[in-house]
Amino acid sequence: MAARKRASSVTNSAKTALSEPASSPTELKTAVSGEDFRLAPPKLGVIFVISSLLCSLYLYLLCFHYNVDNELKRPILINAGLSLVGFFVTLKLIPVAARYVLRRNMFGFDINKRGTPQGEVKVPESLGIVVGIVFLIVAIVFQFFNFTEDSVWLVEYNAALASICFMILLGFVDDVLDVPWRVKLLLPSFATLPLLMAYAGHTTIVIPKPLVSYIGLEVFDLGRIYKLYMALLAVFCTNSINIHAGLNGLEIGQTVVIAAAILIHNVMQIGASVDTEYHQAHAFSIYLTQPLMATSLAMLAYNWYPSAVFVGDTYTVFAGMTMAVVGILGHFSETLLIFFLPQVLNFLLSLPQLAGIVKCPRHRLPKYDPATGLLTGTKDGTLVNVYLRIFGRKSEKSLCIHLLVFQALACAFCFMLRHFLAGWYK
């Protein structure tokens, strides 16, 4: 997320960039036209390493370890092929879109590089719109290969896409208008309306076995309260990605790590069950997660340190909403929340400032030292700053890698927890 520079006014956000008025007509002309703009090449080597680490286990489980029915594996592989096409399309569109946003004077400066030549570079903003559009096209085209007109999942699939599309629109509006954060908390509530209205799945929860003797029920029907829970989950996931940010590659990096964990979880559940409806629910989740991961990896190639583009709120709210949707319709919202453990921790650390109990500055970023290139944690309540206060000063790239490893460890912890509690908890 980053602030935009516009010709007529100055707007700001709480994360990764700071805008100032254009200093001269020449500078303004360059920003608007983008004629002299050259985007740095994508860091495909980094993406190859990251995708190999995150996707290899998933592909092994899907293709070799589990005996997944061919009728189910076929659409998953078709979806994976379309997602791969989406990866390359996103790679090609980002430089084009970057020139267009510069013409509209939408760019920012990287605060974590202030005082260095890199800190004076105009970075195109709001490029998350490219990821969102390509994702939607891939997801819509996939319907031709998998769903029929009378498919029971088609209504919920289209409702999910409507909610995600609604969130992309609202995120881009936020990037352009710089909506106050209190309003941002409400935006996901409106975006989930198509999904809530179309949802026809179960509204029950399974009572943990240790509590069954006290409650007297094994399954409890929440009714309409379950839909309220769905809306709150979407609000949390959407905003939690948005506030756990401030470093090049962190927003997208945490998304691809969680997406990889979701894919692994889904294929494990498919392999461990013989229930056809259960298979379809988790396959449904895979159909949306694969294109999310593919398009996000393409954006990460440009957003990895040093970032050539900023993704903006458009991407963070889109990614959060997509993962909330797959968790809800895949019926693994509890597991999803454990995958979001770093985001939960960051939210709890941020709560005093978000609630106004403690003064909340406009930018809650670490302090950058141009002489050493290291970041120092401030007293602000974010996971980024707390991590620096505990483990000492680090470079931006090193800190991002540490936080992504922590994200991966949180996902691994979730799998361990499910393994040890299986058969006892539920």
Side-chain angles (χ1 to χ4, degrees):
M1 177 179 174
R4 281 76 58 202
K5 176 184 283 186
R6 305 187 69 186
S8 60
S9 63
V10 179
T11 56
N12 296 284
S13 73
K15 308 291 188 306
T16 58
L18 180 65
S19 296
E20 298 172 352
S23 58
S24 67
T26 302
E27 180 184 24
L28 182 59
K29 180 179 178 182
T30 302
V32 174
S33 66
E35 294 174 356
D36 299 328
F37 173 73
R38 293 293 183 273
L39 195 66
K43 305 169 186 67
L44 295 179
V46 175
I47 299 308
F48 177 78
V49 173
I50 293 176
S51 58
S52 298
L53 291 173
L54 296 179
C55 298
S56 55
L57 178 58
Y58 163 67
L59 293 175
Y60 167 74
L61 293 175
L62 175 64
C63 298
F64 303 104
H65 185 76
Y66 292 113
N67 185 24
V68 180
D69 185 74
N70 287 333
E71 290 298 319
L72 193 62
K73 185 186 294 185
R74 177 179 172 274
I76 291 176
L77 293 179
I78 291 174
N79 182 269
L82 292 173
S83 299
L84 185 61
V85 173
F87 171 84
F88 290 107
V89 171
T90 306
L91 276 180
K92 292 295 184 182
L93 287 181
I94 289 173
V96 178
R99 286 193 289 271
Y100 275 96
V101 298
L102 283 179
R103 290 174 188 173
R104 301 305 302 166
N105 221 25
M106 296 176 64
F107 61 89
F109 295 118
D110 199 326
I111 290 180
N112 288 332
K113 299 176 183 64
R114 185 189 295 171
T116 67
Q118 285 183 324
E120 301 300 320
V121 175
K122 300 167 188 174
V123 183
E125 169 67 304
S126 304
L127 268 298
I129 189 68
V130 177
V131 179
I133 291 174
V134 176
F135 168 88
L136 287 174
I137 293 173
V138 170
I140 292 170
V141 170
F142 173 68
Q143 295 185 66
F144 174 77
F145 298 95
N146 188 61
F147 296 108
T148 59
E149 294 181 357
D150 58 346
S151 174
V152 295
W153 285 96
L154 185 58
V155 173
E156 291 189 355
Y157 188 83
N158 284 325
L161 293 184
S163 291
I164 294 169
C165 183
F166 201 171
M167 201 67 251
I168 294 171
L169 171 63
L170 294 176
F172 192 70
V173 168
D174 180 24
D175 279 335
V176 175
L177 302 181
D178 197 25
V179 177
W181 71 266
R182 291 176 179 83
V183 179
K184 293 179 187 179
L185 293 176
L186 298 176
L187 295 182
S189 302
F190 298 111
T192 55
L193 288 177
L195 180 62
L196 296 179
M197 296 302 102
Y199 182 76
H202 68 75
T203 57
T204 59
I205 59 172
V206 179
I207 304 298
K209 291 182 179 180
L211 301 179
V212 170
S213 59
Y214 298 97
I215 299 177
L217 294 172
E218 293 185 357
V219 178
F220 182 69
D221 189 358
L222 293 176
R224 294 183 179 180
I225 297 178
Y226 189 84
K227 291 194 174 184
L228 175 61
Y229 164 72
M230 290 166 56
L232 293 176
L233 179 65
V235 170
F236 169 76
C237 291
T238 302
N239 286 285
S240 64
I241 296 291
N242 196 30
I243 66 175
H244 183 38
L247 304 174
N248 291 171
L250 181 58
E251 296 97 322
I252 305 180
Q254 62 186 300
T255 299
V256 297
V257 171
I258 297 173
I262 290 173
L263 290 174
I264 293 171
H265 170 71
N266 282 321
V267 75
M268 289 177 66
Q269 295 305 303
I270 291 174
S273 173
V274 294
D275 188 332
T276 303
E277 184 177 351
Y278 194 69
H279 286 176
Q280 290 298 328
H282 285 283
F284 185 99
S285 175
I286 292 175
Y287 300 154
L288 295 178
T289 306
Q290 286 184 150
L292 169 66
M293 188 170 186
T295 53
S296 295
L297 283 170
M299 178 61 75
L300 187 58
Y302 288 98
N303 187 244
W304 189 254
Y305 181 93
S307 179
V309 299
F310 288 145
V311 297
D313 286 346
T314 308
Y315 176 82
T316 57
V317 297
F318 148 71
M321 176 60 73
T322 304
M323 289 188 285
V325 166
V326 300
I328 291 169
L329 297 182
H331 306 303
F332 58 93
S333 56
E334 290 180 353
T335 300
L336 182 67
L337 285 175
I338 304 177
F339 287 155
F340 272 74
L341 188 59
Q343 287 73 23
V344 173
L345 179 59
N346 183 67
F347 172 75
L348 294 176
L349 292 170
S350 302
L351 197 55
Q353 289 183 314
L354 296 178
I357 300 173
V358 179
K359 183 179 179 181
C360 183
R362 179 165 297 193
H363 300 284
R364 299 193 301 158
L365 295 173
K367 184 178 180 181
Y368 177 70
D369 183 1
T372 62
L374 300 178
L375 298 174
T376 303
T378 65
K379 294 182 179 180
D380 292 314
T382 65
L383 184 58
V384 171
N385 284 304
V386 171
Y387 193 93
L388 287 172
R389 293 203 300 266
I390 295 175
F391 296 102
R393 300 194 303 168
K394 299 187 183 303
S395 67
E396 182 177 3
K397 182 178 180 180
S398 175
L399 177 59
C400 181
I401 293 174
H402 279 233
L403 291 174
L404 294 183
V405 170
F406 178 56
Q407 183 78 64
L409 291 176
C411 294
F413 170 75
C414 177
F415 287 115
M416 291 178 58
L417 195 63
R418 287 184 59 90
H419 173 74
F420 287 113
L421 295 182
W424 175 80
Y425 181 70
K426 285 187 179 181

